[in-house]
Amino acid sequence: MHDVYAYGVIAPSTLIELSDDVPSAGGYAEIAGVYPSLGGEAAGGAYVLARLGVTTKLSGNKLGSDDLSARTLGILSGVGVDCSAIDVDGDVSSVTEFVLATGSDRTVLGTYRQLLADAAWSFPSREDIGVSRVVCLDPFFLDASLQAARWCAETGTPYVTVDTAPDSEIARSAEAVVIAEEFAARTFETSDPLEVFAAYADQCPGLVILTRGSKPAVYGRRGGQPKHYPPFSVEARDSTGAGDSFRAGIIYGMLRGYDDERLVATASGVAALVCQRVPGVLDSPTEDELQDFLHRHA
């Protein structure tokens, strides 16, 4: 049995930590380290939740039978994520991801467009959704993601999603929707975070959170005034998994019945701890480390 069912993107990843900024064409940057890592929103969230002691089952896109895919399954299984629903198909080319990390910035190189073109994902499980306490849902797999959201509604299972338009059915039915500033910049003509928040709050009855990197997050619910929560001040080494970790922190808090402010504080703490480690997601905090961090920064 599991408390959380995570459905979405799963990707083998390699993190390249640079001592310098990402160079322009023809330039040079010194490599500080190269690390096997984990990519994909659902996979990152599942890993972080497992490290926090939450029983989690993961499904989503298919993985190939290559060594990198096997490494990814080993990483996930190693912290207790239930990977039994992940399809391994020798005819499938797994998503490939390389990340250049320069402190608070990161550059992602990947084959995600090819994943979407191939539609190489498994269908979600209504049974797994129905027995879960919370679902961690990526919105990127078209009808499959939408069906997962509808099954959540049928079974009364709350779900948390990310980076989807405010008028989408997935956003409008979510218990919480987390929107990254980068997604908002691509989606809206305005750069005003309060206008972006208002666009979501108008459509979504659940908790709306706009994350903004080193700037205060904006959060709240329809009918209420938006609130701001400043991120914790840490020296960032790898911000790659900050968004995945933040959503995992929201789910962790939901399982414990936290109110909205404590949810955002907890999620911010998880993301902060991940950002100051390399590779951040794979060294995400245990429950004791998180609670100690939050206590010291209260």
Side-chain angles (χ1 to χ4, degrees), residues 48-280:
V48 173
L49 284 165
R51 287 272 293 172
L52 289 169
V54 177
T55 55
T56 306
K57 187 170 185 177
L58 175 63
S59 180
N61 56 276
K62 299 176 182 179
L63 295 180
S65 55
D66 55 280
D67 291 343
L68 286 178
S69 296
R71 184 188 76 185
T72 300
L73 290 172
I75 289 171
L76 289 162
S77 299
V79 294
V81 175
D82 182 348
C83 298
S84 60
I86 299 175
D87 286 340
V88 176
D89 187 339
D91 295 327
V92 168
S93 296
S94 295
V95 179
T96 303
E97 178 189 273
F98 293 87
V99 180
L100 307 179
T102 58
S104 59
D105 295 320
R106 81 284 189 276
T107 300
V108 180
L109 313 173
T111 59
Y112 290 105
R113 289 179 185 168
Q114 189 62 50
L115 168 66
L116 296 177
D118 293 342
W121 48 75
S122 305
F123 216 65
S125 165
R126 187 186 191 284
E127 180 181 357
D128 285 329
I129 288 171
V131 298
S132 302
R133 295 175 61 194
V134 180
V135 168
C136 177
L137 176 60
D138 287 357
F140 313 119
F141 293 165
L142 307 177
D143 290 345
S145 294
L146 182 56
Q147 183 61 73
R150 289 173 175 171
W151 278 336
C152 284
E154 289 179 12
T155 60
T157 308
Y159 66 87
V160 182
T161 194
V162 294
D163 293 350
T164 185
D167 59 351
S168 69
E169 184 176 338
I170 290 177
R172 288 186 285 109
S173 300
E175 181 69 22
V177 55
V178 182
I179 304 300
E181 186 176 43
E182 295 88 348
F183 177 83
R186 298 193 303 268
T187 306
F188 296 91
E189 294 182 359
T190 179
S191 60
D192 185 338
L194 294 181
E195 291 184 15
V196 174
F197 173 84
Y200 279 92
D202 182 59
Q203 298 275 351
C204 309
L207 176 63
V208 174
I209 309 164
L210 174 63
T211 61
R212 306 171 61 225
S214 61
K215 294 171 286 188
V218 181
Y219 73 97
R221 295 178 184 267
R222 178 189 296 174
Q225 289 296 316
K227 300 178 181 180
H228 294 77
Y229 195 93
F232 294 100
S233 179
V234 297
E235 184 176 349
R237 290 185 62 189
D238 173 24
S239 63
T240 308
D244 307 344
S245 304
F246 187 95
R247 177 170 55 163
I250 293 293
I251 293 171
Y252 169 86
M254 286 172 59
L255 292 169
R256 282 148 185 79
Y258 293 171
D259 62 23
D260 289 351
E261 181 176 3
R262 193 174 181 186
L263 283 176
V264 176
T266 300
S268 298
V270 177
L273 285 165
V274 165
C275 284
Q276 61 186 348
R277 301 171 176 181
V278 177

